[in-house]
Amino acid sequence: MSDVAALQSDLLAQIAGAADEAALEVVRVAALGKKGSISELMKTLGALSPEERKVQGPLLNGLRDAVTEAIAARKAALGEAALEQRLAGETLDITLPPRPENSGTVHPISQVLEEVTAIFAGMGFSVAEGPDVEHDDYNFTRLNIPPDHPARQMQDTFYVAPQADGSSHVLRTHTSPVQVRTMLNGKPPIRIISPGRTYRVDSDATHSPMFHQVEALVIDEGIHLGHLKWTIEEFCKAFFEIDSIELRARPSFFPFTEPSLEWDMRCDRSVPGKITFGSGQDWLELGGSGMVHRKVLENCGIDAKRYSGFALGFGLDRMAMLKYGIADIRSFFEGDVRWLKHYGFAALVIPSLEGGLSK
Ligand code: FA5
């Protein structure tokens, strides 16, 4: 056997014996690498005479091709064997129950906020926002709340340390300052709602120091109490998902509305732990409202002779408690995951209300 034939059969044996891809790579480098046995032989061709090269050249090329092909074939076979082995080891038991998914839920307040926004959007209202830390002027003064009003006292309101420029700020006690911001920054017609966080020094089962309100404001020519009543009626029907409701208006007082009204909705609480809307002998308190006070319009640069408007402010937490049967307002903010799993929502259910606010 010639040297070339002996080398070939030795290399083919090594290739066939390579147990895995790493061992095969060692054989490949030893044969075909820069300093490999075949590469070294190829280098000797240059020193041969043309006649010798004619004989030796095809022999060495044949050796190199045979070894290259054998390596490729062994590599493919090893790869396939490895895959077979993996597949055999990775059997899947499709009868096993799935692992429980640890998904979060939508907080009832977020759900109610989405529902309220969608209902008012259906009536042509857009959303306006204001900061939680509000100017005293917007929270009180421009809303016609005089300096001696009880809401301004330290025991009712969270005050923020006075600013360097001497201006005074509070954690807003209601969403009504967004009315001021909207009127100062835009011209009628105005039709906005402003849902958001509000703060008062208050804490029991139905009062929280941080709670949520939604404000609605409509300013245009010829707006009257009928528009306010229609808006509340349509909103309540959509929110409580009932076709017929009965509302009761009670005279009230807010410095920023004249006249001021508080609204109740007929309900039935005769079955303990259950509340039914639309019938019964009880009344459910919804929140405050009224026609925007002439002084507030003037304080915010609106021509009170030409325009009139209504505003309302409802407590979102209380509405969520009523709609979803939650007894204690404080549970909303305790961050108890078990509570959230029970009262949270898997997906948003947004009712839609067609039509708009017609005069
Ligand atoms: C106001 O805050 C007025 N700004 C509402 C308004 C707006 C009147 C526009 C006229 C025109 P009141 O203080 O009544 O009003 O609060 C409104 C609602 O917020 C209440 O009906 C109640 O649902 C809710 N609320 C008040 N204090 C708390 C509290 N500490 N925790 C939870 N909800 C509260």
Side-chain angles (χ1 to χ4, degrees):
M1 194 190 271
S2 71
D3 288 350
V4 171
L7 179 60
Q8 182 165 330
S9 80
D10 179 38
L11 286 175
L12 293 181
Q14 284 187 44
I15 291 165
D20 54 29
E21 288 197 25
L24 185 64
E25 182 61 8
V26 173
V27 179
R28 189 194 69 77
V29 171
L32 298 167
K34 250 188 183 173
K35 297 211 163 128
S37 49
I38 296 178
S39 309
E40 290 297 330
L41 278 175
M42 294 301 248
K43 284 180 204 160
T44 62
L45 286 175
L48 297 181
S49 67
E51 286 72 30
E52 285 172 319
R53 208 178 298 139
K54 260 191 200 153
V55 180
Q56 197 68 0
L59 266 179
L60 292 185
N61 280 341
L63 168 67
R64 189 190 54 201
D65 292 348
V67 168
T68 305
E69 269 169 36
I71 289 175
R74 181 74 185 140
K75 192 169 181 179
L78 284 172
E80 218 161 283
L83 181 66
E84 288 294 328
Q85 199 182 358
R86 228 185 71 206
L87 289 177
E90 281 181 7
T91 48
L92 193 66
D93 184 353
I94 56 167
T95 63
L96 283 175
R99 286 201 192 111
E101 229 178 77
N102 213 2
S103 57
T105 55
V106 177
H107 193 285
I109 299 282
S110 306
Q111 169 76 13
V112 162
L113 215 134
E114 290 287 340
E115 290 174 15
V116 168
T117 307
I119 293 167
F120 275 105
M123 291 195 276
F125 285 73
S126 54
V127 174
E129 287 185 321
D132 289 14
V133 180
E134 185 56 280
H135 294 284
D136 177 288
D137 185 39
Y138 290 3
N139 196 79
F140 294 128
T141 316
R142 285 193 202 239
L143 287 168
N144 198 33
I145 299 179
D148 56 350
H149 192 278
R152 286 193 172 229
Q153 289 174 14
M154 294 295 271
Q155 62 265 34
D156 288 305
T157 299
F158 292 107
Y159 280 86
V160 175
Q163 306 296 293
D165 64 2
S167 63
S168 167
H169 288 74
V170 296
L171 294 187
R172 65 178 181 184
T173 57
H174 50 176
T175 40
S176 299
V178 184
Q179 287 186 30
V180 175
R181 290 178 170 272
T182 307
M183 288 190 269
L184 286 175
N185 292 324
K187 286 189 168 36
I190 290 170
R191 196 180 294 180
I192 59 110
I193 59 158
S194 178
R197 278 185 292 268
T198 43
Y199 307 83
R200 289 182 197 175
V201 183
D202 233 349
S203 183
D204 61 34
T206 52
H207 293 83
S208 163
M210 192 280 290
F211 59 104
H212 299 77
Q213 285 188 343
V214 60
E215 190 86 4
L217 174 72
V218 173
I219 308 278
D220 204 344
E221 291 179 16
I223 295 292
H224 53 72
L225 276 176
H227 296 125
L228 170 63
K229 180 169 184 272
W230 181 87
T231 306
I232 294 176
E233 251 166 22
E234 292 305 302
F235 168 71
C236 288
K237 280 195 236 168
F239 181 76
F240 292 105
E241 297 170 31
I242 40 173
D243 293 332
S244 114
I245 57 161
E246 189 183 334
L247 288 178
R248 177 174 82 173
R250 279 180 290 113
S252 184
F253 172 77
F254 296 100
F256 36 92
T257 46
E258 179 57 37
S260 300
L261 300 167
E262 284 192 67
W263 295 86
D264 302 330
M265 192 168 87
R266 189 181 280 283
C267 66
D268 186 356
R269 284 182 169 130
S270 56
V271 181
K274 197 170 171 241
I275 180 163
T276 312
F277 303 111
S279 59
Q281 296 307 311
D282 303 307
W283 293 93
L284 166 77
E285 206 179 297
L286 292 167
S289 72
M291 299 305 292
V292 180
H293 199 292
R294 183 182 47 80
K295 278 193 189 159
V296 175
L297 293 174
E298 283 163 5
N299 287 344
C300 300
I302 303 272
D303 180 355
K305 287 201 186 84
R306 183 170 170 198
Y307 295 108
S308 58
F310 71 75
L312 61 89
F314 288 1
L316 280 176
D317 320 75
R318 299 260 182 94
M319 287 168 59
M321 288 167 78
L322 287 164
K323 186 167 176 181
Y324 297 114
I326 298 164
D328 193 323
I329 196 170
R330 291 166 293 199
S331 58
F332 281 124
F333 312 117
E334 279 166 357
D336 184 335
V337 176
R338 291 162 306 171
W339 184 91
L340 279 170
K341 281 234 175 305
H342 182 76
Y343 286 105
F345 292 83
L348 295 180
V349 182
I350 301 173
S352 79
L353 189 69
E354 292 302 317
L357 182 68
S358 53
K359 282 198 216 166

